[in-house]
Amino acid sequence: MKEILALRALLLVGVGLVCVSLPASAATMLTAKNGMTVYVFDKDTSGVSACYDECAKKWPPYLAHGGEKMGEGWATVKRKDGSMQWTYDNKPLYFYADDKKKGDAHGDDVGSVWHVVKE
């Protein structure tokens, strides 16, 4: 009986260690409607995008289309070409071209200026 109790204790400790060592879950990352990770750029100022041309090829803006609505904290900002880009907490949002599937976050901390948005 003592062996069974000891085994149960080890299992509980082992399960606890696994839970503690897991990285932050994808549920805490802000994603677009398509499930892809979105990023913010430290060089954007006052809610205005600083990412155009070559930058926008690697970091495409998350564009809004007429009449779309999102939840609290979401808004849009007009880009130089007249398109509307989603913002969250007044920060323009982008995708990362090297993210290929939902849950990818390969752009986090690129150049120390790109960051995943955490909710």
Side-chain angles (χ1 to χ4, degrees):
M1 184 66 160
K2 287 182 182 178
E3 289 175 1
I4 292 173
L5 290 175
L7 182 56
R8 283 185 185 169
L10 282 173
L11 286 173
L12 288 174
V13 169
V15 169
L17 290 175
V18 171
C19 291
V20 170
S21 66
L22 290 175
S25 71
T28 62
M29 283 191 315
L30 190 67
T31 61
K33 286 184 176 183
N34 64 3
M36 296 299 287
T37 303
V38 291
Y39 300 86
V40 292
F41 185 36
D42 287 346
K43 295 183 181 181
D44 290 342
T45 56
S46 302
V48 177
S49 177
C51 183
Y52 290 93
D53 305 317
E54 289 303 311
C55 175
K57 289 179 185 175
K58 191 73 169 176
W59 300 92
Y62 180 18
L63 298 178
H65 303 285
E68 286 182 309
K69 300 287 183 199
M70 298 289 255
E72 187 176 332
W74 290 82
T76 56
V77 65
K78 187 179 266 189
R79 292 180 57 79
K80 290 179 184 178
D81 65 3
S83 62
M84 299 302 289
Q85 182 174 2
W86 282 113
T87 64
Y88 187 76
D89 288 341
N90 201 37
K91 296 175 184 163
L93 298 175
Y94 305 86
F95 297 108
Y96 183 51
D98 289 345
D99 286 351
K100 302 300 181 191
K101 64 185 183 314
K102 295 176 186 178
D104 281 355
H106 302 296
D108 195 23
D109 205 35
V110 167
S112 298
V113 295
W114 291 96
H115 310 282
V116 167
V117 182
K118 303 272 181 156
E119 287 188 288

